[in-house]
Amino acid sequence: MEDQYDACFDAAVEIARKAGEMIREAFHKPKCITAKGCATDLVTETDEAVEKMIIGHLRERFPDHNFIGEESTAAGARCVFDERPTWMIDPVDGTTNFVHRFPYVAVSIGFLAKKEFVFGVIYNAPQDIMYTGRTGKGAFRNGEAISASGVQQLNQSLVLLEIGSSREAEHLDEKVRNYHNLAKHPVRSIRSLGSAALNMCAVASGEGEAYCETGMHCWDVAAGTVILREAGGYVCDPDGTELDVMSRRCLATCSENVAKEMISVAKYNAPLARDDAA
Ligand code: IPD
C-alpha cells in the first residue's frame, strides 16, 4: 500500500547510494582531518561534502521539511525537533573508521513525522550493504528481510559497546565500569564496530544481541531505531524508559528480556547535554 512518505523513502535510498559513492571514492585516499569539540571527535572534508550534497538535494525536493544533520549542527545550526517531517542525517557514521579505512562506515538517514519514527536507511558504503526499515513494513538488508536473534538471556548475548568521543573522566569511568560489569556477568563477549548505526543493524540482522551507548547523537540512532524495531528488536533508554531520541542515550537489543537484564547490569547516570539544548 502506498503511503504519503513513499517519495521520501525512495529519495532517501537514492541519496544514500549517491553518498556511498562519494565515500567509496574517498575511502583509500589521503584525507583532510580536523577535530571538532575534542581531539577524538573527527571530521573530514568528505563528511562535510556528503552532508551538503544530501541536504541540498532533499531540501530542494521537500522544502518545508526539517533537517538535522551532524555537520550542519557542528557548524552552528540549531537542532530543532518538532512535529514537522524531520530528517536526521549522519553523512559518515564511523568517521574514525573512515579515517583509518576500517570498513564500517555508513550513511545514516532517519525520518520522523509528528515525532514518530517513519523510516530508516543505513548504507554501509565500503561493503555495499543497504539496510532499510519502515514502520509497519519490515526491515531489509540488500532487499532481504532481516530479523533480530530473539535471544532471551544476557549470558547468551554478544554485546556491542562504544567508547565514544568524550574522554571526560565521568563518562570514561562509567563506560569502563559497565564494560567490566558486563564482562563479569558474563556476557558472551563485547565488540565495537565504531558506527552506532551499524551496531544497530548488526543487532537487527541477528549478528549481535545488544548495543548500548550514551553520548552519541540523534543522527547516529534515528535510522537504526526503525530498522531494529521492524526486525523485531527492542529500543529504549538505558534506564528502561521510553527512548528519547534527543537525549543522547540508547539501548538497542534483540529482545525485551535482554534489555531488562542489560539495565540491571549496566548503569548510565553521567550527565549529558541534550541534542536539542538551546
Ligand atoms: C560516532 C560513531 C561511534 C559512536 C559515537 C558517534 P560519527 O559517529 O557512531 O560509533 O561511538 O558516539 O558519534 O562521529 O562517526 O558520525
Side-chain angles (χ1 to χ4, degrees):
M1 202 176 71
E2 267 190 35
D3 77 41
Q4 61 174 318
Y5 297 120
D6 276 354
C8 300
F9 174 74
D10 292 344
V13 172
E14 188 189 321
I15 208 75
R17 285 200 188 283
K18 206 165 161 190
E21 277 168 32
M22 292 170 73
I23 292 171
R24 275 196 299 273
E25 164 77 23
F27 197 67
H28 291 287
K29 294 192 177 151
K31 300 169 179 82
C32 171
I33 305 155
T34 39
K36 292 193 275 191
C38 59
T40 46
D41 191 4
L42 307 181
V43 61
T44 70
E45 73 275 49
T46 303
D47 297 62
E48 289 165 347
V50 171
E51 180 161 322
K52 208 165 156 209
M53 186 281 289
I54 295 177
I55 296 189
H57 178 100
L58 293 174
R59 209 191 285 280
E60 208 168 281
R61 287 194 61 183
F62 309 106
D64 32 346
H65 288 189
N66 182 29
F67 294 89
I68 298 175
E70 175 171 19
E71 305 317 331
S72 320
T73 306
R78 273 190 63 219
C79 185
V80 179
F81 181 40
D82 55 25
E83 303 273 310
R84 285 173 295 170
T86 297
W87 300 76
M88 295 185 184
I89 298 164
D90 191 339
V92 180
D93 185 46
T95 300
T96 306
N97 289 347
F98 176 66
V99 164
H100 292 270
R101 303 185 177 95
F102 186 69
Y104 290 84
V105 176
V107 183
S108 179
I109 304 178
F111 183 86
L112 298 89
K114 298 200 169 75
K115 297 200 170 185
E116 301 286 340
F117 288 94
V118 177
F119 65 74
V121 170
I122 295 175
Y123 182 48
N124 178 337
Q127 297 180 40
D128 188 23
I129 304 173
M130 177 68 80
Y131 298 91
T132 60
R134 300 176 73 177
T135 300
K137 295 184 176 177
F140 300 86
R141 175 188 153 124
N142 284 345
E144 303 225 335
I146 50 173
S147 51
S149 71
V151 164
Q152 298 293 319
Q153 285 172 274
L154 189 57
N155 63 11
Q156 289 169 18
S157 296
L158 182 69
V159 176
L160 298 126
L161 299 177
E162 292 289 336
I163 206 68
S165 58
S166 166
R167 302 300 152 86
E168 282 172 32
E170 204 176 3
H171 293 130
L172 213 46
D173 291 349
E174 183 174 83
K175 289 195 176 192
V176 171
R177 193 165 50 244
N178 285 327
Y179 197 103
H180 176 104
N181 289 344
L182 286 163
K184 198 170 151 207
H185 179 68
V187 298
R188 287 247 168 99
S189 199
I190 298 177
R191 302 279 184 269
S192 293
L193 294 182
S195 156
L198 291 175
N199 286 331
M200 294 180 92
C201 290
V203 179
S205 308
E207 296 166 349
E209 277 61 46
Y211 155 65
C212 192
E213 186 171 357
T214 58
M216 71 308 139
H217 298 272
C218 59
W219 45 81
D220 295 313
V221 296
T225 295
V226 192
I227 293 170
L228 179 54
R229 285 180 173 162
E230 284 301 308
Y234 192 77
V235 187
C236 63
D237 185 272
D239 70 4
T241 57
E242 203 181 321
L243 176 79
D244 171 353
V245 75
M246 290 287 127
S247 71
R248 304 181 59 204
R249 297 163 51 87
C250 178
L251 170 60
T253 61
C254 64
S255 68
E256 193 175 347
N257 276 343
V258 166
K260 281 187 183 147
E261 283 197 65
M262 279 286 290
I263 293 156
S264 69
V265 177
K267 308 279 180 201
Y268 294 88
N269 299 308
L272 286 160
R274 295 173 57 83
D275 277 329
D276 55 358

